[in-house]
Amino acid sequence: MTQRPFHHGNLRAVLLDEATAVVRESGVAGLSLRDLARRAGVSHGAPRSHFVDRQALLDALAQLGFERLTAAVRRALDAGGPLPDRLRRVAHAYVDFAVDDAALMDLMFETKVTQQSQGVQEAAGVLFGTLDGALGPAPGDEAEDGPRVTFKMLFAATMQGIAALVASGRIERPHGEHLVDSAMDTMLGSELAARVITAS
C-alpha cells in the first residue's frame, strides 16, 4: 500500500481516511489506533495526539459520516426543480450513501442521542435540519407526531430499510433503486405528503 504524504497539520485527516477504508473493508470491529498508525506509516502513539482513545476515533468517524451525508443531500437539493424531484434525488443520495458505507451508517445511528459526543450531535442536527429544510418552511407549532415529522420519519425508515436490503445482499442494487422510486411515488402521492407539501 502506498502511504499518503502528511505533515503535522493533516495527520488527523489521513487517519480518518484510513479509518474509513478499514470500516469499508472489515467493519468497525477491525478498527484500532495501532493499526491505523501502521497504515499511515507513523509511530503507534502518533494517533493519540488526535484521538485520545478508540471511542474518540469512532466519534470522529460518525461525525465525518454525518457531514458527508449532509453534503450528498445538499448536492441533490442544489440541482433545483420541483419539490418532488428534489426529494427523489435526496432519497437516492441517502440510499447510495447507506449502501456504499453501510458499516459507517450503522456507526452513525447506533448510539443513543444522549450518549453521542457533542460533535456527533451537532453534525446529526445539521443533517436532519437539511432534510427538514428540503420540505420548505416549517410551521412553528407542529406537534411531535404532526404530519411533517411523520413524513420525515417515514422517509428515513423507508430509505434505511431499502439500503439495508441492498447492503445485506437480499436484493440487487438496481432493484433497490427501483424500490426507492416506487417508495417515493407512493409517499409523494399520499394524503400525508399532500398535507406536508401544502403546509410548506
Side-chain angles (χ1 to χ4, degrees):
M1 180 183 67
T2 302
Q3 294 176 358
R4 302 177 189 182
F6 67 89
H7 53 78
H8 69 280
N10 71 349
L11 176 57
R12 186 179 189 276
V14 170
L15 292 171
L16 285 173
D17 284 346
E18 294 292 351
T20 300
V22 171
V23 169
R24 284 177 176 167
E25 294 164 6
S26 55
V28 174
L31 269 181
S32 75
L33 291 173
R34 182 177 290 271
D35 182 58
L36 286 184
R38 179 188 61 78
R39 290 173 66 106
V42 298
S43 68
H44 69 270
R48 293 190 181 275
S49 63
H50 297 282
F51 310 109
V52 296
D53 55 22
R54 185 172 182 274
Q55 186 57 53
L57 170 64
L58 295 179
D59 288 343
L61 266 181
Q63 180 177 338
L64 180 63
F66 278 116
E67 291 169 354
R68 287 176 49 213
L69 181 52
T70 299
V73 169
R74 284 175 171 163
R75 285 194 297 271
L77 293 172
D78 285 346
L83 177 59
D85 291 345
R86 284 183 279 137
L87 291 179
R88 286 187 179 91
R89 288 196 303 270
V90 168
H92 280 284
Y94 194 103
V95 171
D96 284 344
F97 180 91
V99 171
D100 293 336
D101 284 292
L104 178 58
M105 192 75 159
D106 288 343
L107 174 65
M108 291 158 57
F109 286 95
E110 72 178 5
T111 305
K112 292 181 179 179
V113 173
T114 55
Q115 297 174 344
Q116 291 176 341
S117 72
Q118 182 177 351
V120 174
Q121 290 186 47
E122 290 176 353
V126 173
L127 169 64
F128 298 132
T130 302
L131 290 171
D132 184 76
L135 296 176
D141 57 351
E142 183 174 0
E144 291 185 3
D145 60 349
R148 187 182 180 98
V149 175
T150 300
F151 185 89
K152 290 187 294 184
M153 294 298 291
L154 181 61
F155 173 89
T158 302
M159 297 311 138
Q160 289 195 214
I162 293 171
L165 289 173
V166 177
S168 66
R170 297 276 182 173
I171 61 175
E172 297 293 329
R173 191 155 191 161
H175 188 189
E177 293 173 354
H178 175 70
L179 283 179
V180 171
D181 289 329
S182 296
M184 291 308 299
D185 286 345
T186 300
M187 290 179 63
L188 292 170
S190 68
E191 183 270 341
L192 174 63
R195 293 170 66 191
V196 170
I197 292 174
T198 299
S200 65

